[in-house]
mmCIF file of all heavy atoms in Angstrom:
data_model
loop_
_atom_site.group_PDB
_atom_site.id
_atom_site.type_symbol
_atom_site.label_atom_id
_atom_site.label_comp_id
_atom_site.label_asym_id
_atom_site.label_seq_id
_atom_site.Cartn_x
_atom_site.Cartn_y
_atom_site.Cartn_z
ATOM 1 N N GLU A 1296 -5.193 15.955 -14.690
ATOM 2 C CA GLU A 1296 -5.580 14.570 -14.370
ATOM 3 C C GLU A 1296 -4.420 13.814 -13.723
ATOM 4 O O GLU A 1296 -4.586 13.134 -12.718
ATOM 5 C CB GLU A 1296 -6.036 13.840 -15.637
ATOM 6 C CG GLU A 1296 -6.467 12.415 -15.390
ATOM 7 C CD GLU A 1296 -6.860 11.682 -16.657
ATOM 8 O OE1 GLU A 1296 -6.699 12.224 -17.764
ATOM 9 O OE2 GLU A 1296 -7.338 10.537 -16.511
ATOM 10 N N ALA A 1297 -3.216 13.953 -14.279
ATOM 11 C CA ALA A 1297 -2.045 13.280 -13.732
ATOM 12 C C ALA A 1297 -1.733 13.800 -12.330
ATOM 13 O O ALA A 1297 -1.422 13.020 -11.421
ATOM 14 C CB ALA A 1297 -0.842 13.462 -14.648
ATOM 15 N N ARG A 1298 -1.821 15.090 -12.142
ATOM 16 C CA ARG A 1298 -1.563 15.662 -10.815
ATOM 17 C C ARG A 1298 -2.608 15.182 -9.803
ATOM 18 O O ARG A 1298 -2.285 14.888 -8.655
ATOM 19 C CB ARG A 1298 -1.522 17.192 -10.892
ATOM 20 C CG ARG A 1298 -0.236 17.710 -11.528
ATOM 21 C CD ARG A 1298 -0.100 19.208 -11.354
ATOM 22 N NE ARG A 1298 -1.097 19.952 -12.103
ATOM 23 C CZ ARG A 1298 -0.998 20.306 -13.376
ATOM 24 N NH1 ARG A 1298 0.073 19.988 -14.067
ATOM 25 N NH2 ARG A 1298 -1.957 20.987 -13.966
ATOM 26 N N SER A 1299 -3.838 15.091 -10.238
ATOM 27 C CA SER A 1299 -4.899 14.591 -9.371
ATOM 28 C C SER A 1299 -4.636 13.130 -8.975
ATOM 29 O O SER A 1299 -4.799 12.745 -7.818
ATOM 30 C CB SER A 1299 -6.250 14.716 -10.062
ATOM 31 O OG SER A 1299 -7.257 14.097 -9.316
ATOM 32 N N LEU A 1300 -4.217 12.312 -9.937
ATOM 33 C CA LEU A 1300 -3.893 10.912 -9.660
ATOM 34 C C LEU A 1300 -2.724 10.804 -8.683
ATOM 35 O O LEU A 1300 -2.735 9.965 -7.781
ATOM 36 C CB LEU A 1300 -3.568 10.168 -10.959
ATOM 37 C CG LEU A 1300 -4.740 9.895 -11.898
ATOM 38 C CD1 LEU A 1300 -4.242 9.347 -13.224
ATOM 39 C CD2 LEU A 1300 -5.725 8.933 -11.266
ATOM 40 N N GLU A 1301 -1.713 11.667 -8.856
ATOM 41 C CA GLU A 1301 -0.561 11.653 -7.958
ATOM 42 C C GLU A 1301 -0.975 12.021 -6.532
ATOM 43 O O GLU A 1301 -0.491 11.416 -5.568
ATOM 44 C CB GLU A 1301 0.516 12.611 -8.464
ATOM 45 C CG GLU A 1301 1.234 12.086 -9.690
ATOM 46 C CD GLU A 1301 2.160 13.111 -10.330
ATOM 47 O OE1 GLU A 1301 2.192 14.284 -9.875
ATOM 48 O OE2 GLU A 1301 2.845 12.734 -11.291
ATOM 49 N N ARG A 1302 -1.862 13.001 -6.385
ATOM 50 C CA ARG A 1302 -2.346 13.384 -5.060
ATOM 51 C C ARG A 1302 -3.113 12.237 -4.416
ATOM 52 O O ARG A 1302 -2.918 11.920 -3.237
ATOM 53 C CB ARG A 1302 -3.240 14.635 -5.146
ATOM 54 C CG ARG A 1302 -2.461 15.928 -5.314
ATOM 55 C CD ARG A 1302 -3.347 17.143 -5.139
ATOM 56 N NE ARG A 1302 -4.448 17.215 -6.090
ATOM 57 C CZ ARG A 1302 -4.378 17.789 -7.290
ATOM 58 N NH1 ARG A 1302 -3.269 18.364 -7.691
ATOM 59 N NH2 ARG A 1302 -5.435 17.810 -8.078
ATOM 60 N N LYS A 1303 -3.987 11.612 -5.206
ATOM 61 C CA LYS A 1303 -4.754 10.481 -4.670
ATOM 62 C C LYS A 1303 -3.834 9.339 -4.252
ATOM 63 O O LYS A 1303 -4.021 8.728 -3.195
ATOM 64 C CB LYS A 1303 -5.752 9.969 -5.714
ATOM 65 C CG LYS A 1303 -6.931 10.881 -5.933
ATOM 66 C CD LYS A 1303 -7.835 10.331 -7.013
ATOM 67 C CE LYS A 1303 -8.973 11.293 -7.313
ATOM 68 N NZ LYS A 1303 -9.807 10.814 -8.420
ATOM 69 N N LEU A 1304 -2.829 9.063 -5.092
ATOM 70 C CA LEU A 1304 -1.892 7.984 -4.778
ATOM 71 C C LEU A 1304 -1.106 8.301 -3.510
ATOM 72 O O LEU A 1304 -0.934 7.437 -2.648
ATOM 73 C CB LEU A 1304 -0.938 7.748 -5.953
ATOM 74 C CG LEU A 1304 0.092 6.639 -5.775
ATOM 75 C CD1 LEU A 1304 -0.573 5.312 -5.476
ATOM 76 C CD2 LEU A 1304 0.969 6.544 -7.015
ATOM 77 N N SER A 1305 -0.659 9.530 -3.377
ATOM 78 C CA SER A 1305 0.067 9.927 -2.160
ATOM 79 C C SER A 1305 -0.813 9.773 -0.924
ATOM 80 O O SER A 1305 -0.366 9.269 0.109
ATOM 81 C CB SER A 1305 0.528 11.377 -2.267
ATOM 82 O OG SER A 1305 1.499 11.499 -3.254
ATOM 83 N N PHE A 1306 -2.051 10.192 -1.029
ATOM 84 C CA PHE A 1306 -2.984 10.063 0.098
ATOM 85 C C PHE A 1306 -3.191 8.598 0.464
ATOM 86 O O PHE A 1306 -3.154 8.227 1.647
ATOM 87 C CB PHE A 1306 -4.323 10.721 -0.250
ATOM 88 C CG PHE A 1306 -5.363 10.515 0.811
ATOM 89 C CD1 PHE A 1306 -5.323 11.239 1.994
ATOM 90 C CD2 PHE A 1306 -6.376 9.581 0.631
ATOM 91 C CE1 PHE A 1306 -6.281 11.030 2.983
ATOM 92 C CE2 PHE A 1306 -7.322 9.363 1.610
ATOM 93 C CZ PHE A 1306 -7.281 10.099 2.788
ATOM 94 N N LYS A 1307 -3.400 7.738 -0.538
ATOM 95 C CA LYS A 1307 -3.631 6.301 -0.274
ATOM 96 C C LYS A 1307 -2.397 5.670 0.366
ATOM 97 O O LYS A 1307 -2.515 4.866 1.291
ATOM 98 C CB LYS A 1307 -3.976 5.556 -1.562
ATOM 99 C CG LYS A 1307 -5.246 6.012 -2.243
ATOM 100 C CD LYS A 1307 -6.465 5.561 -1.517
ATOM 101 C CE LYS A 1307 -7.706 5.987 -2.301
ATOM 102 N NZ LYS A 1307 -8.915 5.747 -1.581
ATOM 103 N N ARG A 1308 -1.201 6.022 -0.127
ATOM 104 C CA ARG A 1308 0.029 5.472 0.441
ATOM 105 C C ARG A 1308 0.214 5.907 1.892
ATOM 106 O O ARG A 1308 0.608 5.103 2.740
ATOM 107 C CB ARG A 1308 1.231 5.893 -0.388
ATOM 108 C CG ARG A 1308 1.349 5.144 -1.691
ATOM 109 C CD ARG A 1308 2.541 5.601 -2.464
ATOM 110 N NE ARG A 1308 2.716 4.834 -3.684
ATOM 111 C CZ ARG A 1308 3.464 5.227 -4.691
ATOM 112 N NH1 ARG A 1308 4.119 6.379 -4.636
ATOM 113 N NH2 ARG A 1308 3.574 4.474 -5.763
ATOM 114 N N LEU A 1309 -0.058 7.179 2.162
ATOM 115 C CA LEU A 1309 0.052 7.665 3.539
ATOM 116 C C LEU A 1309 -0.940 6.958 4.454
ATOM 117 O O LEU A 1309 -0.610 6.571 5.577
ATOM 118 C CB LEU A 1309 -0.170 9.181 3.594
ATOM 119 C CG LEU A 1309 0.989 10.031 3.098
ATOM 120 C CD1 LEU A 1309 0.570 11.493 3.007
ATOM 121 C CD2 LEU A 1309 2.193 9.866 4.000
ATOM 122 N N ARG A 1310 -2.160 6.800 3.992
ATOM 123 C CA ARG A 1310 -3.177 6.104 4.789
ATOM 124 C C ARG A 1310 -2.756 4.664 5.045
ATOM 125 O O ARG A 1310 -2.932 4.142 6.145
ATOM 126 C CB ARG A 1310 -4.541 6.171 4.081
ATOM 127 C CG ARG A 1310 -5.624 5.371 4.750
ATOM 128 C CD ARG A 1310 -5.969 5.914 6.131
ATOM 129 N NE ARG A 1310 -6.898 5.025 6.803
ATOM 130 C CZ ARG A 1310 -6.768 4.620 8.049
ATOM 131 N NH1 ARG A 1310 -5.779 5.052 8.793
ATOM 132 N NH2 ARG A 1310 -7.641 3.790 8.587
ATOM 133 N N LEU A 1311 -2.196 4.013 4.036
ATOM 134 C CA LEU A 1311 -1.741 2.636 4.188
ATOM 135 C C LEU A 1311 -0.616 2.552 5.216
ATOM 136 O O LEU A 1311 -0.639 1.682 6.092
ATOM 137 C CB LEU A 1311 -1.284 2.077 2.845
ATOM 138 C CG LEU A 1311 -0.777 0.645 2.835
ATOM 139 C CD1 LEU A 1311 -1.837 -0.325 3.333
ATOM 140 C CD2 LEU A 1311 -0.324 0.258 1.436
ATOM 141 N N GLN A 1312 0.348 3.442 5.133
ATOM 142 C CA GLN A 1312 1.443 3.450 6.108
ATOM 143 C C GLN A 1312 0.919 3.681 7.525
ATOM 144 O O GLN A 1312 1.338 3.018 8.474
ATOM 145 C CB GLN A 1312 2.466 4.531 5.759
ATOM 146 C CG GLN A 1312 3.309 4.193 4.563
ATOM 147 C CD GLN A 1312 4.219 5.335 4.165
ATOM 148 O OE1 GLN A 1312 4.155 6.427 4.719
ATOM 149 N NE2 GLN A 1312 5.074 5.078 3.187
ATOM 150 N N GLU A 1313 -0.003 4.613 7.653
ATOM 151 C CA GLU A 1313 -0.601 4.907 8.962
ATOM 152 C C GLU A 1313 -1.335 3.681 9.503
ATOM 153 O O GLU A 1313 -1.202 3.314 10.667
ATOM 154 C CB GLU A 1313 -1.558 6.089 8.827
ATOM 155 C CG GLU A 1313 -2.294 6.447 10.091
ATOM 156 C CD GLU A 1313 -3.326 7.536 9.854
ATOM 157 O OE1 GLU A 1313 -3.176 8.333 8.911
ATOM 158 O OE2 GLU A 1313 -4.307 7.569 10.613
ATOM 159 N N LEU A 1314 -2.099 3.042 8.647
ATOM 160 C CA LEU A 1314 -2.869 1.860 9.041
ATOM 161 C C LEU A 1314 -1.941 0.725 9.474
ATOM 162 O O LEU A 1314 -2.176 0.076 10.499
ATOM 163 C CB LEU A 1314 -3.756 1.414 7.879
ATOM 164 C CG LEU A 1314 -4.697 0.263 8.121
ATOM 165 C CD1 LEU A 1314 -5.735 0.636 9.163
ATOM 166 C CD2 LEU A 1314 -5.386 -0.109 6.823
ATOM 167 N N LEU A 1315 -0.882 0.492 8.709
ATOM 168 C CA LEU A 1315 0.061 -0.562 9.054
ATOM 169 C C LEU A 1315 0.768 -0.266 10.374
ATOM 170 O O LEU A 1315 1.002 -1.167 11.181
ATOM 171 C CB LEU A 1315 1.088 -0.748 7.933
ATOM 172 C CG LEU A 1315 0.538 -1.287 6.615
ATOM 173 C CD1 LEU A 1315 1.628 -1.350 5.574
ATOM 174 C CD2 LEU A 1315 -0.129 -2.627 6.787
ATOM 175 N N ARG A 1316 1.099 0.991 10.587
ATOM 176 C CA ARG A 1316 1.744 1.378 11.841
ATOM 177 C C ARG A 1316 0.787 1.188 13.027
ATOM 178 O O ARG A 1316 1.149 0.666 14.057
ATOM 179 C CB ARG A 1316 2.229 2.835 11.754
ATOM 180 C CG ARG A 1316 3.141 3.248 12.869
ATOM 181 C CD ARG A 1316 3.794 4.614 12.681
ATOM 182 N NE ARG A 1316 3.022 5.613 11.993
ATOM 183 C CZ ARG A 1316 3.199 5.988 10.716
ATOM 184 N NH1 ARG A 1316 4.141 5.405 9.993
ATOM 185 N NH2 ARG A 1316 2.465 6.923 10.162
ATOM 186 N N GLU A 1317 -0.489 1.593 12.843
ATOM 187 C CA GLU A 1317 -1.494 1.430 13.909
ATOM 188 C C GLU A 1317 -1.672 -0.027 14.299
ATOM 189 O O GLU A 1317 -1.851 -0.360 15.464
ATOM 190 C CB GLU A 1317 -2.855 1.977 13.452
ATOM 191 C CG GLU A 1317 -2.966 3.464 13.408
ATOM 192 C CD GLU A 1317 -4.291 3.920 12.794
ATOM 193 O OE1 GLU A 1317 -5.143 3.058 12.470
ATOM 194 O OE2 GLU A 1317 -4.460 5.137 12.622
ATOM 195 N N ARG A 1318 -1.637 -0.899 13.309
ATOM 196 C CA ARG A 1318 -1.878 -2.323 13.558
ATOM 197 C C ARG A 1318 -0.604 -3.086 13.908
ATOM 198 O O ARG A 1318 -0.644 -4.298 14.108
ATOM 199 C CB ARG A 1318 -2.556 -2.946 12.342
ATOM 200 C CG ARG A 1318 -3.928 -2.353 12.124
ATOM 201 C CD ARG A 1318 -4.652 -2.987 10.995
ATOM 202 N NE ARG A 1318 -5.960 -2.359 10.843
ATOM 203 C CZ ARG A 1318 -6.788 -2.634 9.873
ATOM 204 N NH1 ARG A 1318 -6.467 -3.529 8.969
ATOM 205 N NH2 ARG A 1318 -7.953 -2.023 9.789
ATOM 206 N N GLY A 1319 0.509 -2.369 13.909
ATOM 207 C CA GLY A 1319 1.775 -3.019 14.243
ATOM 208 C C GLY A 1319 2.291 -3.928 13.153
ATOM 209 O O GLY A 1319 3.092 -4.822 13.408
ATOM 210 N N LEU A 1320 1.836 -3.723 11.931
ATOM 211 C CA LEU A 1320 2.228 -4.593 10.827
ATOM 212 C C LEU A 1320 3.380 -4.028 10.008
ATOM 213 O O LEU A 1320 3.900 -4.711 9.135
ATOM 214 C CB LEU A 1320 1.026 -4.841 9.905
ATOM 215 C CG LEU A 1320 -0.147 -5.565 10.554
ATOM 216 C CD1 LEU A 1320 -1.332 -5.599 9.611
ATOM 217 C CD2 LEU A 1320 0.238 -6.966 10.972
ATOM 218 N N ASP A 1321 3.773 -2.791 10.294
ATOM 219 C CA ASP A 1321 4.835 -2.177 9.503
ATOM 220 C C ASP A 1321 6.181 -2.853 9.733
ATOM 221 O O ASP A 1321 7.043 -2.828 8.877
ATOM 222 C CB ASP A 1321 4.929 -0.677 9.766
ATOM 223 C CG ASP A 1321 5.151 -0.338 11.229
ATOM 224 O OD1 ASP A 1321 4.817 -1.159 12.084
ATOM 225 O OD2 ASP A 1321 5.657 0.771 11.496
ATOM 226 N N GLY A 1322 6.375 -3.510 10.868
ATOM 227 C CA GLY A 1322 7.629 -4.187 11.156
ATOM 228 C C GLY A 1322 7.562 -5.689 10.988
ATOM 229 O O GLY A 1322 8.543 -6.389 11.174
ATOM 230 N N SER A 1323 6.413 -6.221 10.619
ATOM 231 C CA SER A 1323 6.226 -7.668 10.515
ATOM 232 C C SER A 1323 6.783 -8.189 9.189
ATOM 233 O O SER A 1323 6.295 -7.829 8.124
ATOM 234 C CB SER A 1323 4.730 -8.006 10.616
ATOM 235 O OG SER A 1323 4.510 -9.339 10.248
ATOM 236 N N SER A 1324 7.790 -9.060 9.268
ATOM 237 C CA SER A 1324 8.372 -9.613 8.046
ATOM 238 C C SER A 1324 7.374 -10.534 7.340
ATOM 239 O O SER A 1324 7.321 -10.574 6.111
ATOM 240 C CB SER A 1324 9.665 -10.364 8.349
ATOM 241 O OG SER A 1324 9.400 -11.456 9.208
ATOM 242 N N ALA A 1325 6.561 -11.251 8.107
ATOM 243 C CA ALA A 1325 5.557 -12.139 7.498
ATOM 244 C C ALA A 1325 4.536 -11.314 6.723
ATOM 245 O O ALA A 1325 4.145 -11.679 5.610
ATOM 246 C CB ALA A 1325 4.852 -12.961 8.571
ATOM 247 N N PHE A 1326 4.119 -10.185 7.302
ATOM 248 C CA PHE A 1326 3.138 -9.358 6.603
ATOM 249 C C PHE A 1326 3.754 -8.709 5.361
ATOM 250 O O PHE A 1326 3.107 -8.605 4.332
ATOM 251 C CB PHE A 1326 2.568 -8.281 7.533
ATOM 252 C CG PHE A 1326 1.416 -7.552 6.909
ATOM 253 C CD1 PHE A 1326 0.161 -8.118 6.889
ATOM 254 C CD2 PHE A 1326 1.595 -6.312 6.319
ATOM 255 C CE1 PHE A 1326 -0.907 -7.471 6.292
ATOM 256 C CE2 PHE A 1326 0.537 -5.660 5.723
ATOM 257 C CZ PHE A 1326 -0.714 -6.239 5.719
ATOM 258 N N ARG A 1327 5.021 -8.288 5.450
ATOM 259 C CA ARG A 1327 5.675 -7.700 4.272
ATOM 260 C C ARG A 1327 5.757 -8.717 3.142
ATOM 261 O O ARG A 1327 5.500 -8.398 1.981
ATOM 262 C CB ARG A 1327 7.073 -7.193 4.632
ATOM 263 C CG ARG A 1327 7.088 -5.807 5.218
ATOM 264 C CD ARG A 1327 8.480 -5.206 5.194
ATOM 265 N NE ARG A 1327 9.467 -6.038 5.860
ATOM 266 C CZ ARG A 1327 9.746 -5.998 7.152
ATOM 267 N NH1 ARG A 1327 9.118 -5.154 7.926
ATOM 268 N NH2 ARG A 1327 10.663 -6.797 7.661
ATOM 269 N N GLN A 1328 6.112 -9.956 3.495
ATOM 270 C CA GLN A 1328 6.205 -11.007 2.484
ATOM 271 C C GLN A 1328 4.834 -11.275 1.870
ATOM 272 O O GLN A 1328 4.698 -11.392 0.656
ATOM 273 C CB GLN A 1328 6.767 -12.280 3.109
ATOM 274 C CG GLN A 1328 6.952 -13.408 2.118
ATOM 275 C CD GLN A 1328 7.494 -14.661 2.781
ATOM 276 O OE1 GLN A 1328 7.585 -14.753 3.994
ATOM 277 N NE2 GLN A 1328 7.834 -15.639 1.981
ATOM 278 N N TYR A 1329 3.813 -11.358 2.698
ATOM 279 C CA TYR A 1329 2.450 -11.576 2.214
ATOM 280 C C TYR A 1329 2.003 -10.412 1.335
ATOM 281 O O TYR A 1329 1.422 -10.609 0.270
ATOM 282 C CB TYR A 1329 1.502 -11.750 3.403
ATOM 283 C CG TYR A 1329 0.051 -11.873 3.029
ATOM 284 C CD1 TYR A 1329 -0.383 -12.931 2.247
ATOM 285 C CD2 TYR A 1329 -0.874 -10.933 3.439
ATOM 286 C CE1 TYR A 1329 -1.714 -13.059 1.893
ATOM 287 C CE2 TYR A 1329 -2.207 -11.053 3.092
ATOM 288 C CZ TYR A 1329 -2.617 -12.113 2.320
ATOM 289 O OH TYR A 1329 -3.931 -12.224 1.965
ATOM 290 N N SER A 1330 2.322 -9.195 1.753
ATOM 291 C CA SER A 1330 1.948 -8.008 0.984
ATOM 292 C C SER A 1330 2.593 -8.027 -0.390
ATOM 293 O O SER A 1330 1.958 -7.668 -1.383
ATOM 294 C CB SER A 1330 2.372 -6.743 1.732
ATOM 295 O OG SER A 1330 1.716 -6.652 2.951
ATOM 296 N N GLU A 1331 3.841 -8.456 -0.445
ATOM 297 C CA GLU A 1331 4.531 -8.508 -1.732
ATOM 298 C C GLU A 1331 3.891 -9.551 -2.641
ATOM 299 O O GLU A 1331 3.740 -9.328 -3.840
ATOM 300 C CB GLU A 1331 6.018 -8.816 -1.522
ATOM 301 C CG GLU A 1331 6.826 -8.764 -2.796
ATOM 302 C CD GLU A 1331 6.711 -7.448 -3.556
ATOM 303 O OE1 GLU A 1331 6.590 -6.371 -2.931
ATOM 304 O OE2 GLU A 1331 6.717 -7.490 -4.800
ATOM 305 N N GLN A 1332 3.477 -10.672 -2.084
ATOM 306 C CA GLN A 1332 2.801 -11.689 -2.889
ATOM 307 C C GLN A 1332 1.476 -11.155 -3.427
ATOM 308 O O GLN A 1332 1.133 -11.382 -4.587
ATOM 309 C CB GLN A 1332 2.557 -12.948 -2.056
ATOM 310 C CG GLN A 1332 3.809 -13.715 -1.728
ATOM 311 C CD GLN A 1332 3.544 -14.888 -0.797
ATOM 312 O OE1 GLN A 1332 2.442 -15.069 -0.293
ATOM 313 N NE2 GLN A 1332 4.570 -15.688 -0.561
ATOM 314 N N ILE A 1333 0.730 -10.425 -2.604
ATOM 315 C CA ILE A 1333 -0.541 -9.831 -3.049
ATOM 316 C C ILE A 1333 -0.275 -8.831 -4.163
ATOM 317 O O ILE A 1333 -0.979 -8.811 -5.172
ATOM 318 C CB ILE A 1333 -1.242 -9.129 -1.858
ATOM 319 C CG1 ILE A 1333 -1.623 -10.142 -0.821
ATOM 320 C CG2 ILE A 1333 -2.415 -8.297 -2.319
ATOM 321 C CD1 ILE A 1333 -3.025 -10.579 -0.777
ATOM 322 N N ARG A 1334 0.738 -7.994 -3.960
ATOM 323 C CA ARG A 1334 1.074 -6.971 -4.961
ATOM 324 C C ARG A 1334 1.424 -7.625 -6.300
ATOM 325 O O ARG A 1334 0.979 -7.170 -7.348
ATOM 326 C CB ARG A 1334 2.226 -6.129 -4.444
ATOM 327 C CG ARG A 1334 2.619 -5.007 -5.346
ATOM 328 C CD ARG A 1334 3.692 -4.150 -4.662
ATOM 329 N NE ARG A 1334 3.987 -2.971 -5.376
ATOM 330 C CZ ARG A 1334 3.194 -1.940 -5.531
ATOM 331 N NH1 ARG A 1334 2.003 -1.950 -4.996
ATOM 332 N NH2 ARG A 1334 3.547 -0.883 -6.222
ATOM 333 N N GLN A 1335 2.202 -8.694 -6.256
ATOM 334 C CA GLN A 1335 2.565 -9.388 -7.491
ATOM 335 C C GLN A 1335 1.334 -9.963 -8.181
ATOM 336 O O GLN A 1335 1.194 -9.852 -9.397
ATOM 337 C CB GLN A 1335 3.565 -10.503 -7.188
ATOM 338 C CG GLN A 1335 4.948 -10.003 -6.863
ATOM 339 C CD GLN A 1335 5.874 -11.117 -6.447
ATOM 340 O OE1 GLN A 1335 5.486 -12.288 -6.343
ATOM 341 N NE2 GLN A 1335 7.128 -10.775 -6.204
ATOM 342 N N LYS A 1336 0.438 -10.555 -7.402
ATOM 343 C CA LYS A 1336 -0.779 -11.121 -8.003
ATOM 344 C C LYS A 1336 -1.648 -10.044 -8.622
ATOM 345 O O LYS A 1336 -2.234 -10.224 -9.691
ATOM 346 C CB LYS A 1336 -1.566 -11.921 -6.976
ATOM 347 C CG LYS A 1336 -0.931 -13.253 -6.670
ATOM 348 C CD LYS A 1336 -1.821 -14.131 -5.850
ATOM 349 C CE LYS A 1336 -1.087 -15.430 -5.592
ATOM 350 N NZ LYS A 1336 -1.954 -16.520 -5.308
ATOM 351 N N MET A 1337 -1.741 -8.887 -7.948
ATOM 352 C CA MET A 1337 -2.574 -7.811 -8.482
ATOM 353 C C MET A 1337 -1.973 -7.232 -9.745
ATOM 354 O O MET A 1337 -2.694 -6.913 -10.687
ATOM 355 C CB MET A 1337 -2.767 -6.711 -7.433
ATOM 356 C CG MET A 1337 -3.752 -7.109 -6.367
ATOM 357 S SD MET A 1337 -4.362 -5.754 -5.395
ATOM 358 C CE MET A 1337 -3.093 -5.545 -4.209
ATOM 359 N N THR A 1338 -0.658 -7.092 -9.805
ATOM 360 C CA THR A 1338 -0.036 -6.542 -11.015
ATOM 361 C C THR A 1338 -0.052 -7.556 -12.143
ATOM 362 O O THR A 1338 -0.192 -7.182 -13.298
ATOM 363 C CB THR A 1338 1.401 -6.056 -10.733
ATOM 364 O OG1 THR A 1338 2.150 -7.115 -10.172
ATOM 365 C CG2 THR A 1338 1.406 -4.867 -9.797
ATOM 366 N N GLU A 1339 0.051 -8.852 -11.831
ATOM 367 C CA GLU A 1339 -0.040 -9.881 -12.859
ATOM 368 C C GLU A 1339 -1.431 -9.939 -13.463
ATOM 369 O O GLU A 1339 -1.586 -10.096 -14.667
ATOM 370 C CB GLU A 1339 0.320 -11.254 -12.286
ATOM 371 C CG GLU A 1339 1.775 -11.435 -11.983
ATOM 372 C CD GLU A 1339 2.051 -12.725 -11.237
ATOM 373 O OE1 GLU A 1339 1.120 -13.530 -11.040
ATOM 374 O OE2 GLU A 1339 3.208 -12.923 -10.835
ATOM 375 N N SER A 1340 -2.463 -9.826 -12.629
ATOM 376 C CA SER A 1340 -3.826 -9.922 -13.142
ATOM 377 C C SER A 1340 -4.199 -8.716 -13.991
ATOM 378 O O SER A 1340 -5.082 -8.776 -14.815
ATOM 379 C CB SER A 1340 -4.825 -10.083 -12.003
ATOM 380 O OG SER A 1340 -4.855 -8.912 -11.205
ATOM 381 N N GLY A 1341 -3.497 -7.600 -13.806
ATOM 382 C CA GLY A 1341 -3.780 -6.402 -14.586
ATOM 383 C C GLY A 1341 -3.118 -6.397 -15.946
ATOM 384 O O GLY A 1341 -3.421 -5.587 -16.795
#
């Protein structure tokens, strides 16, 4: 189960990186800041 979760997480992270690169958002400081705020809100709500 843990190995399966790790594979899924790796796949999701790779897809996210690919998506951000395609959209040109991987270098955007505004998007990184916004992403960090979203991440904090999601971890706080959990």
Side-chain angles (χ1 to χ4, degrees):
E1296 181 182 6
R1298 285 191 293 275
S1299 173
L1300 289 171
E1301 287 171 355
R1302 283 190 300 272
K1303 287 178 184 176
L1304 181 57
S1305 293
F1306 175 76
K1307 298 286 183 188
R1308 285 180 177 163
L1309 285 172
R1310 174 65 187 133
L1311 180 59
Q1312 287 175 354
E1313 177 186 334
L1314 184 64
L1315 293 177
R1316 192 171 33 257
E1317 286 174 4
R1318 295 183 180 175
L1320 297 173
D1321 57 337
S1323 168
S1324 62
F1326 189 79
R1327 275 196 305 273
Q1328 182 181 9
Y1329 175 62
S1330 298
E1331 185 55 35
Q1332 290 175 353
I1333 295 259
R1334 183 174 188 69
Q1335 287 175 357
K1336 285 190 180 203
M1337 284 196 277
T1338 55
E1339 288 172 5
S1340 66

